[in-house]
Amino acid sequence: MPLEWKHGTDAVDWDALSALYRAAPLGEKSPQLLQTVFANSMFKCFVYDGARLVAAGRVLADGADCAYVCDIAVLPDHQGTGLGRQVVQHLVDAARGHRKILLYAVPGKEPFYRRFGFLRMKTAMAIFENQEAQLARGYLSED
């Protein structure tokens, strides 16, 4: 059975999406948080294998200047199949026309995103809710 791609949030099972993020593993994201952030994202996709949600991603964008690709998640049993690449390509294509498309990658995964044309930014900075945890995970540097 071919994978089914959906772009609206009407039929999303938010508990299943939350479980997908835990399994991917991209951390704990509550169903309520996910419902809010996906509703506020200009572009989104949900990929189903039958009735099972196997991948998702979104782009937070303003429609002209800046687009931020984020929350790309693929179930472990679908990782390594090219599905993550397809999700990222789909979202990057949707965001084309913005002056800049940004993302931040899990440390060590930067080569994956280079295939789409992303380059490292020298001046990117961030404030996270839990700075210490992100320092420990390698997302931030104090130098």
Side-chain angles (χ1 to χ4, degrees), residues 32-42 58 60 71:
Q32 297 79 16
L33 178 135
L34 289 167
Q35 189 170 10
T36 298
V37 300
F38 272 84
N40 289 314
S41 296
M42 183 172 281
R58 66 188 184 95
L60 187 60
D71 287 339

Side-chain angles (χ1 to χ4, degrees), residues 75-96:
L75 277 180
D77 64 353
H78 282 70
Q79 292 175 7
T81 66
L83 182 55
R85 180 189 47 75
Q86 290 174 38
V87 169
V88 173
Q89 188 65 63
H90 176 81
L91 294 172
V92 167
D93 289 346
R96 294 251 186 250

Side-chain angles (χ1 to χ4, degrees), residues 1 7 56 64 85 101 106 116:
M1 172 182 286
H7 301 96
R85 180 189 47 75
I101 302 172
V106 170
F116 302 95

Side-chain angles (χ1 to χ4, degrees), residues 11-89:
V12 173
D13 177 338
W14 300 105
D15 290 315
L17 186 59
S18 180
L20 169 64
Y21 281 96
R22 279 192 306 279
L26 293 176
E28 184 63 39
K29 294 180 185 257
S30 74
Q32 297 79 16
L33 178 135
L34 289 167
Q35 189 170 10
T36 298
V37 300
F38 272 84
N40 289 314
S41 296
M42 183 172 281
F43 308 110
K44 54 216 142 235
C45 65
F46 306 92
V47 185
Y48 293 85
D49 189 352
R52 185 174 167 222
L53 180 63
V54 296
R58 66 188 184 95
V59 176
L60 187 60
D62 60 22
D65 186 47
C66 185
Y68 165 46
V69 177
C70 51
D71 287 339
I72 308 299
V74 178
L75 277 180
D77 64 353
H78 282 70
Q79 292 175 7
T81 66
L83 182 55
R85 180 189 47 75
Q86 290 174 38
V87 169
V88 173
Q89 188 65 63

